[in-house]
Amino acid sequence: MRSFGRAIHAEFTKVTTTRLWWILAIVMVAYVALVAGGLTAILGVVGTGSGGGARAPQISDAQRAPLIYSFGSSIGYVFPVLLGALVTTGEFRHKTLTPTFLATPKRGRILVAKLVALFVFGALFGVFAMVGSVGAGSGIMAVFGQDAQLGSSGIWALVARAILAMALWCAVGVGLGALIPSQVAAIVIVLAFTQFVEPILRFASGLTDWSASIGKFLPGSASDALVGSSFYTLSAPSLVALDWWQGALVLAAYAVVAAVLGYFTSWRRDVT
Amino acid sequence: MAEGVTIEFTNVTKRFGSVEAVSDLSFSVEPGQITGFLGPNGAGKTTSLRMLLGLVTPTSGSATFGGTTYRNLSSPLGTVGAALEAASFHPGRTAADHLRVYAQAAGLPRSRVGIVLEQVGLESYGNRRVGGYSLGMRQRLGLAYALLGDPGVLVLDEPINGLDPEGIRWIRLFLRQLAAEGRTVLVSSHLLSEVQQSVDEVVIIAHGKLVHRGTLASLDMVESKQVIVDSPNREGLGWALQAAGYAFRSLRGGVIVDNADATEIGRIAFAAGIPLSSLSQKHAGLEDSFLALVGEEGAL
């Protein structure tokens, strides 16, 4: 058990001693804040009628804050996935698996330690992302005199669930990195899947009832179900969704299945 | 410092697909001396060392430290220190941070980082990112990693590669000191000349098989089929050798006779009444013996 704690400590130090994590964190916060703040501003302008609000989407005051704040995870989740995947594939790329396995010859222990350490880092990314979306969103809402709902316990529950989602996404990245050790391939797959393939699949699966029952298990759908609000649920309110805890379990299952497959395909292999 | 233990390879075989990289390799390495693990490139040295360290799984056989396989050592870095290649670093991490990560993983005190950096002469470069390191500095950092747990056994793969003459001299003295402290030191190289000044024992492999095991001096004992002979009467000696059917070359230091035995040449000279000023079987020399053992491909 003590050796396990040491492995987690070492995996944590590996992340903090390179520049990757804070570069990703800064880009994520800027991106999330820009989208959350920008969209609040657009909705505000349209809503007050100064932009000719006839065709404005109907967003109630109650819907606005959860929608805007959830951007932290619904668009920011790609950053913890990238962090987890880059940290894991980096071990293959820079051949640091050699000193790692020499210091801790029990390889399964290292993979679990990595999942745990990066889960914590993902939560930290979740906090940063929420600072970005809640900070920018509530600030702009205040400008338009709208209710930012910062006193609502429902909002803070959403923030906590979003942080959990980001933590799970980071663990998914670790599993993915173990499964696809090539760093370039892992980046391409993460970006193509999250930005292109999954949105299309989610849209297409929503067209019929039977496909929607499968589509709700897509990682992005599970994540949105966990957080409880997103622009998807707003644009297609009839979409079937999981309960929030089911969403968390589905996301965790993606991380575990990928890591177990990665363990048997790449992690256990000869290090030459 | 942990006590040096015996490294034991027992019938170790490794097949990659249909290629047998290492075949039925058995030998042991004793503490208190430096053992050179030699063979041409592609002979299976690195694969053997990686099997010893649990990084590559042998197809059959086992390699142990005092009877325990690497994966079952209770304190791996405290028992064995290994430096395998010059490029096992994240280029964006500093040398001190690199060492700190593995000190944490192995439960070693943080103070070890500064100590080993000083031991290898990198104390003023510890806070630099490894990406900017020269090959020689990376070799030293690899050695620092090997020393992190103050182990009784050191396994170093081509540690001299990429070092400048000053660095080579330094590592020779350093290894000598480590062995004198009672540690087991196993050093691989594809060049005998690179290690012949430092090693006590040699293990030579070629094509994945053991071809020679013994002291460094045992390599020199391999005699050639050449005789060096000289006489005040070189002309007469030449006639006698020619009459006996030997091929020879006359050099300034003497006459070299091919495919000959010193006793036989002495008998021929005696029968012809030629006085001899010197007569001896020519030793092959370390390098020639080494090349003869590993075959023609050894010249790579």
Side-chain angles (χ1 to χ4, degrees):
Chain A
M1 204 56 218
R2 239 180 74 224
S3 140
F4 192 58
R6 296 196 306 234
I8 294 173
H9 189 189
E11 291 306 323
F12 208 81
T13 308
K14 278 183 192 172
V15 183
T16 58
T17 49
T18 62
R19 287 170 287 190
L20 176 70
W21 77 273
W22 57 259
I23 292 174
L24 280 177
I26 288 172
V27 176
M28 173 186 72
V29 171
Y31 176 48
V32 162
L34 195 73
V35 172
L39 221 72
T40 312
I42 292 169
L43 290 175
V45 169
V46 173
T48 53
S50 48
R55 277 183 289 178
Q58 292 307 303
I59 295 173
S60 68
D61 280 349
Q63 278 177 327
R64 186 186 303 110
L67 169 71
I68 296 298
Y69 300 161
S70 71
F71 273 112
S73 60
S74 65
I75 63 166
Y77 76 102
V78 67
F79 292 92
V81 179
L82 279 178
L83 177 72
L86 289 174
V87 164
T88 310
T89 53
E91 296 262 27
F92 291 92
R93 185 178 163 203
H94 302 300
K95 299 185 176 175
T96 43
L97 280 181
T98 295
T100 298
F101 289 164
L102 286 177
T104 315
K106 306 268 192 276
R107 299 188 187 181
R109 184 175 292 173
I110 299 168
L111 194 53
V112 175
K114 223 182 225 338
L115 285 168
V116 172
L118 271 296
F119 178 86
V120 174
F121 248 98
L124 192 67
F125 267 51
V127 172
F128 291 154
M130 286 296 117
V131 167
S133 65
V134 175
S138 65
I140 305 282
M141 282 179 217
V143 170
F144 286 95
Q146 295 162 335
D147 179 12
Q149 298 185 49
L150 292 179
S152 148
S153 61
I155 286 293
W156 292 108
L158 177 139
V159 166
R161 292 194 306 269
I163 291 170
L164 173 62
M166 296 289 268
L168 287 168
W169 275 115
C170 202
V172 169
V174 172
L176 203 70
L179 194 57
I180 308 153
S182 157
Q183 194 155 64
V184 174
I187 294 172
V188 169
I189 286 171
V190 167
L191 293 181
F193 188 81
T194 60
Q195 307 305 306
F196 186 66
V197 178
E198 196 187 24
I200 288 176
L201 283 179
R202 284 179 73 179
F203 176 75
S205 73
L207 296 177
T208 66
D209 280 346
W210 67 269
S211 61
S213 63
I214 301 169
K216 67 184 177 185
F217 290 106
L218 286 167
S221 317
S223 176
D224 286 345
L226 163 56
V227 176
S229 175
S230 83
F231 54 94
Y232 276 102
T233 48
L234 190 80
S235 60
S238 61
L239 266 187
V240 203
L242 300 165
D243 281 333
W244 74 267
W245 58 271
Q246 290 173 321
L249 287 179
V250 168
L251 214 49
Y254 274 107
V256 170
V257 168
V260 168
L261 287 177
Y263 175 77
F264 285 108
T265 53
S266 72
W267 205 253
R268 251 187 4 169
R269 275 224 298 260
D270 288 344
V271 184
T272 50
Chain B
M1 183 198 114
E3 214 167 297
V5 294
T6 304
I7 298 172
E8 188 101 46
F9 279 82
T10 314
N11 308 111
V12 176
T13 296
K14 178 65 183 183
R15 265 188 291 275
F16 292 110
S18 61
V19 181
E20 196 160 276
V22 176
S23 312
D24 199 29
L25 192 62
S26 295
F27 65 89
S28 61
V29 178
E30 302 298 326
Q33 50 195 15
I34 304 175
T35 302
F37 187 41
L38 307 171
N41 290 327
K45 297 188 300 292
T46 300
T47 303
S48 301
L49 295 183
R50 287 187 170 268
M51 285 193 281
L52 175 65
L53 296 164
L55 295 168
V56 167
T57 311
T59 307
S60 64
S62 68
T64 60
F65 297 89
T68 311
T69 60
Y70 191 87
R71 286 180 193 175
N72 289 318
L73 290 172
S74 57
S75 156
L77 289 196
T79 312
V80 185
L84 285 180
E85 57 202 326
S88 292
F89 314 105
H90 190 297
R93 201 173 278 140
T94 68
D97 282 341
H98 171 78
L99 296 170
R100 187 156 64 91
V101 164
Y102 302 108
Q104 281 172 357
L108 300 166
R110 198 175 171 165
S111 56
R112 288 295 305 164
V113 171
I115 295 172
V116 296
L117 279 174
E118 200 173 316
Q119 264 183 296
V120 301
L122 286 178
E123 63 273 23
S124 20
Y125 304 95
N127 291 321
R128 271 200 214 172
R129 291 204 183 85
V130 181
Y133 270 31
S134 68
L135 182 55
M137 288 164 86
R138 284 167 199 235
Q139 286 281 27
R140 286 176 190 242
L141 180 55
L143 199 58
Y145 172 75
L147 294 166
L148 204 52
D150 200 12
V153 181
L154 284 160
V155 177
L156 311 173
D157 196 12
E158 306 266 358
I160 295 169
N161 230 350
L163 291 183
D164 54 17
E166 155 64 25
I168 293 173
R169 207 170 68 95
W170 168 80
I171 199 167
R172 278 180 182 152
L173 292 170
F174 192 61
L175 294 179
R176 181 55 58 208
Q177 181 201 331
L178 293 171
E181 289 166 358
R183 296 179 217 250
T184 312
V185 183
L186 182 62
V187 179
S188 85
S189 177
H190 60 284
L191 290 172
L192 176 70
S193 54
E194 209 174 57
V195 294
Q196 71 183 51
Q197 290 180 40
S198 2
V199 302
D200 309 293
E201 295 272 325
V202 287
V203 173
I204 301 175
I205 66 170
H207 305 295
K209 295 188 182 70
L210 184 72
V211 293
H212 185 82
R213 170 84 186 92
T215 60
L216 184 66
S218 72
L219 261 188
D220 208 13
M221 300 306 275
V222 183
E223 287 183 337
S224 72
K225 290 246 165 69
Q226 286 185 326
V227 169
I228 305 176
V229 60
D230 207 359
S231 165
N233 179 8
R234 273 222 194 164
E235 202 182 343
L237 179 65
W239 286 114
L241 288 171
Q242 203 163 28
Y246 282 101
F248 62 93
R249 282 169 293 152
S250 196
L251 302 173
R252 194 194 300 174
V255 176
I256 298 191
V257 191
D258 292 328
N259 295 316
D261 175 70
T263 320
E264 185 59 22
I265 299 299
R267 206 185 55 75
I268 289 166
F270 182 74
I274 309 283
L276 293 185
S277 54
S278 77
L279 172 67
S280 67
Q281 197 79 34
K282 187 173 180 261
H283 279 215
L286 292 173
E287 196 68 42
D288 286 345
S289 311
F290 176 62
L291 288 178
L293 284 167
V294 300
E296 291 301 313
E297 307 90 306
L300 277 174

